[in-house]
């Protein structure tokens, strides 16, 4: 029977993936054109970021019509062709459902503005203070107050993101029925999975001012969120095992995730949480420059692995998405150890317990683009925060230095298909600049190179299919306090997997707490790696070691290597 736990999801950012009509924007036909590549890579699901009608103020997360495709991305026929062609290659399509808010250009909001009380109740309106202050001190995630004033109404509406993204009122049963119908609509068109955007913010608690923060504690994992998710699932995809659902959980807690993603809680299949991607923040503040905290990274990854596992709940595991900087620039090395570090980072994620998500370009080690002027940025969050940093008195150069590290545009540059000027993404003018290193870092040059990052990712994906221990094994950290090694063990029905990674450039000698006699090396990023209990780990070394239940600890054995472990 189909089991989503053997699957790998590939995230396509349609705007930057492949442009089939030379307008500088990627489109659905472009995704269809690349399906053979994705099938070759071995992925099972494609998650596509929103391509619905939208003013594109937040790159499609501001939806004006949930049922219509923005003509810039194509037509319904293009979508159906994509589903059909993907299906032939055993790839299923997951859509992004942005249900916390709509664009203010959505017909519902426009009717609300025009005074229709039915639609007014689709959104969240409050009176402000007598002195013209907003209803409370909550902050928008993109900077500034989370409330916008509408003079004709004399009221404020809530927008946790941009002021053109008005929060929906989930307390209203009509809103929930509308959104349920949207899910059903896309199921009928061929979607086989959904990613629900910031879905743990849909149930607002009390609208108090926050003495200690920006208000998130009043609306994060709110009072009715589990009930709402349960209701949504029961009235749509239910228990159909082919549907995969993932909730994007902003600032969530593990206790809530046991329920969101519990095997038998009837909510979602899995969750994205982001705590491991705040290890280069100061608290919740991302617009700062600090080195990442390796110990904290391990503590968070490991506690989520063991916590979710012991509660029979499932993780989505990932480094990259359209909101995150490129991982090789962030936790790896863009220089001499570029390939080794990119492979090591891929290995860390793909051997964890959970569903790996890989973001377009990660499989070839794409880097941050290194933009140097505001005119190169497109993201509303980056542009707002540049001004906020400047208003705080930061020098322009320092503000740019922060954007270069943290901007969401770092991941949104065009997919690098080949070494041509526009990276093979478009023959027109790309909507956002191409990273100059596309002449060196591209799919074409890695396809035939057996040592490439791309081949390493392909091998990682295949490991999950071939070895049950990768998909179903439990999780135990190994030597969790070591200052430079990230290692863990997975076990399933007597099979054992040991994954060892040197997270730094400095070579290290490491003694594995597990006796490695009888292990074989399934995959490594250095030639000649052999399992020895005391390992010499060169820069960013990564080894996937395996012993099958059948192999006695004293006899070398186990399954033959899947991909001649480059050693
Ligand atoms: O992101 C939610 C979210 O809170 C972040 O990851 C956000 O990018 C971060 O807080 C900024 O620092 C989701 C989408 O992934 C993102 O692209 C949208 O902009 C956002 O929701 C609003 O729909």
């Amino acid at each position: 029977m189909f089991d989503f736990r053997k699957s790998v999801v590939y995230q396509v950012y349609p705007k930057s993936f492949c442009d089939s009509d030379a307008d500088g924007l990627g489109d659905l036909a472009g995704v269809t054109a690349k399906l053979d590549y994705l099938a070759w890579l071995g992925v099972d699901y494609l998650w596509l970021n929103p391509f619905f009608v939208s003013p594109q103020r937040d790159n499609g997360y501001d939806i004006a019509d949930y049922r219509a495709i923005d003509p810039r991305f194509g037509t319904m026929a293009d979508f159906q062709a994509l589903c059909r062609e993907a299906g032939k290659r055993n790839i299923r399509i997951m859509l992004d459902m942005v249900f916390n808010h709509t664009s203010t250009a959505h017909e519902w909001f426009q009717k609300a503005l025009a005074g229709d009380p039915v639609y007014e109740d689709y959104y969240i309106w409050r009176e402000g203070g007598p002195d013209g202050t907003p209803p409370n001190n909550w902050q928008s995630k993109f900077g500034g107050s989370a409330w916008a004033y509408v003079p004709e109404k004399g009221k404020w509406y809530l927008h946790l993101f941009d002021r053109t993204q008005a929060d929906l009122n989930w307390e209203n049963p009509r809103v929930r029925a509308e959104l349920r119908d949207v899910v059903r609509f896309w199921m009928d068109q061929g979607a086989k999975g959904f990613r629900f955007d910031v879905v743990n913010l849909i149930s607002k608690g009390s609208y108090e001012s926050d003495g200690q923060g920006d208000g998130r504690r009043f609306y994060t994992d709110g009072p009715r969120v589990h009930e709402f998710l349960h209701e949504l699932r029961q009235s749509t995809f239910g228990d159909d095992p082919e549907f995969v659902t993932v909730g994007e959980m902003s600032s969530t807690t593990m206790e809530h995730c046991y329920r969101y993603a519990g095997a038998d809680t009837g909510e979602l299949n899995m969750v994205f949480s982001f705590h491991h991607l705040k290890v280069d923040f100061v608290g919740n503040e991302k617009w700062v420059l600090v080195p990442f905290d390796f110990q904290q990274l391990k503590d968070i990854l490991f506690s989520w692995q063991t916590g979710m596992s012991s509660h029979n709940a499932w993780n989505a595991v990932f480094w990259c998405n359209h909101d995150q900087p490129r991982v090789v620039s962030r936790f790896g090395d863009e220089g001499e150890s570029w390939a080794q570090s990119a492979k090591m980072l891929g290995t860390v994620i793909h051997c964890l317990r959970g569903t790996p998500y890989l973001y377009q370009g990660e499989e070839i080690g794409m880097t941050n683009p290194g933009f140097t002027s505001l005119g190169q940025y497109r993201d509303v969050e980056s542009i707002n925060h540049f001004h906020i940093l400047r208003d705080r008195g930061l020098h322009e150069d320092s503000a740019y230095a922060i954007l270069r590290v943290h901007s969401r545009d770092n991941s949104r540059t065009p997919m690098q298909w080949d070494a041509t000027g526009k990276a093979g993404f478009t023959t027109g003018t790309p909507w956002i600049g191409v990273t100059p290193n596309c002449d060196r870092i591209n799919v074409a040059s890695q396809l035939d190179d057996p040592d490439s990052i791309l081949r390493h990712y392909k091998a990682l994906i295949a490991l999950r299919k071939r070895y049950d221990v990768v998909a179903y094994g439990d999780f135990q950290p190994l030597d969790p306090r070591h200052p430079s090694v990230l290692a863990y063990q997975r076990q399933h029905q007597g099979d054992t997997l040991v994954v060892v990674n040197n997270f730094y450039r400095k070579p290290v000698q490491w003694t594995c707490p597990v006796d490695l006699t009888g292990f074989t090396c399934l995959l490594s990023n250095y030639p000649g790696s052999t399992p020895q209990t005391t390992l010499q780990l060169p820069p960013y070394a990564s080894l996937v070691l395996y012993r099958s239940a059948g192999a006695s600890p004293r006899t070398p054995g186990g399954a033959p290597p899947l991909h001649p472990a480059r050693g």
Side-chain angles (χ1 to χ4, degrees), residues 352-554:
L352 288 175
R353 176 180 178 277
T355 299
Y357 281 67
L358 92 115
Y359 177 70
Q360 63 183 49
E362 181 181 345
E363 76 275 25
I364 54 167
M366 274 178 65
T367 65
N368 291 346
F371 289 159
T372 50
S373 74
L374 201 58
Q376 291 174 292
Y377 287 95
R378 298 287 176 269
D379 180 24
V380 56
E381 186 200 40
S382 302
I383 296 167
N384 287 353
H385 278 277
F386 178 82
H387 295 301
I388 292 171
L389 292 171
R390 294 286 284 130
D391 290 346
R392 278 187 207 152
L394 216 68
H395 190 274
E396 191 179 77
D397 295 346
S398 311
Y400 282 128
I402 294 177
L403 253 56
R404 264 197 296 282
V405 168
H406 288 295
S407 169
R408 304 194 300 180
D409 281 337
N410 281 317
S411 57
R412 298 179 180 182
T413 61
M415 177 71 181
Q416 294 167 200
W417 294 106
D418 59 40
T420 62
K422 314 284 168 52
F425 161 71
T426 183
T427 51
T429 306
W431 71 279
I432 187 170
V434 174
T435 303
N437 62 22
C438 70
D439 55 345
R440 190 169 52 85
I441 302 178
N442 60 65
V443 172
S445 67
Q446 294 193 28
L447 269 175
D448 298 324
D449 172 2
D451 263 334
S452 64
I453 301 170
L454 180 57
R455 290 293 185 127
H456 189 86
Y457 267 88
K458 183 174 161 67
L460 284 169
I461 294 166
L463 280 185
R464 180 164 296 260
K465 316 260 180 243
R466 175 149 171 195
Y467 296 94
D468 281 353
V469 65
V470 179
Y472 308 125
D474 65 2
F475 180 89
Q476 286 157 295
L478 296 176
D479 200 0
R481 306 283 315 164
H482 192 281
S484 55
V485 171
L486 189 157
Y488 54 85
Q489 172 178 261
R490 315 268 322 272
Q491 287 178 304
H492 176 71
Q493 297 182 344
D495 290 354
T496 307
L497 194 76
V498 168
V499 183
V500 182
N501 303 282
N502 177 3
F503 222 83
Y504 287 90
R505 183 198 300 264
K506 192 166 169 239
V508 58
Q509 173 176 301
W510 185 71
T511 302
C512 184
V514 176
D515 177 4
L516 294 177
T517 313
F519 278 74
T520 52
C521 182
L522 297 183
L523 191 65
S524 172
N525 55 358
Y526 280 93
S529 305
T530 47
Q532 282 159 351
T533 302
T534 293
L535 291 157
Q536 305 298 333
L537 301 171
Y540 298 100
S542 171
L543 291 94
V544 182
L545 308 172
Y546 171 79
R547 192 182 66 209
S548 76
S552 96
R554 292 279 149 209

Side-chain angles (χ1 to χ4, degrees), residues 282-333:
V282 174
N284 275 321
E285 178 57 47
K286 95 171 186 182
W287 303 100
V288 289
L289 282 186
V290 291
F292 75 93
D293 183 334
F294 178 59
Q295 189 59 50
Q296 199 190 8
L297 177 68
K298 282 201 288 185
D299 290 348
I300 295 169
L301 277 181
F302 291 174
S303 65
W304 278 78
Q305 286 284 303
T306 48
M308 294 290 273
S309 169
S310 63
H311 287 79
N312 201 15
W314 196 251
N315 281 301
V317 287
F318 69 105
W319 292 129
C320 297
N321 67 28
H322 63 292
D323 295 331
Q324 300 294 329
R326 290 288 177 180
V327 70
V328 73
S329 305
R330 189 177 195 177
F331 300 140
D333 176 28

Side-chain angles (χ1 to χ4, degrees), residues 15 76 96 126 135 156 169 186 192 335 415 444 461 531 533 544:
K15 211 169 178 173
M76 196 56 89
D96 210 320
R126 288 288 181 278
W156 304 69
N169 175 19
W186 286 106
K192 291 287 186 202
M415 177 71 181
I461 294 166
T533 302
V544 182

Side-chain angles (χ1 to χ4, degrees), residues 58 61 98 101 141-142 161 165 195 197-198 248 250 274 286 322-323 381 408 412:
D58 183 22
Y61 284 90
V98 187
H101 43 264
K141 309 249 180 203
F142 295 159
F161 293 88
Q165 291 166 301
R195 177 249 190 206
D197 189 59
V198 289
E248 189 207 23
S250 172
F274 295 91
K286 95 171 186 182
H322 63 292
D323 295 331
E381 186 200 40
R408 304 194 300 180
R412 298 179 180 182

Side-chain angles (χ1 to χ4, degrees), residues 134 182 219 257:
V182 172
Y219 57 75
C257 288

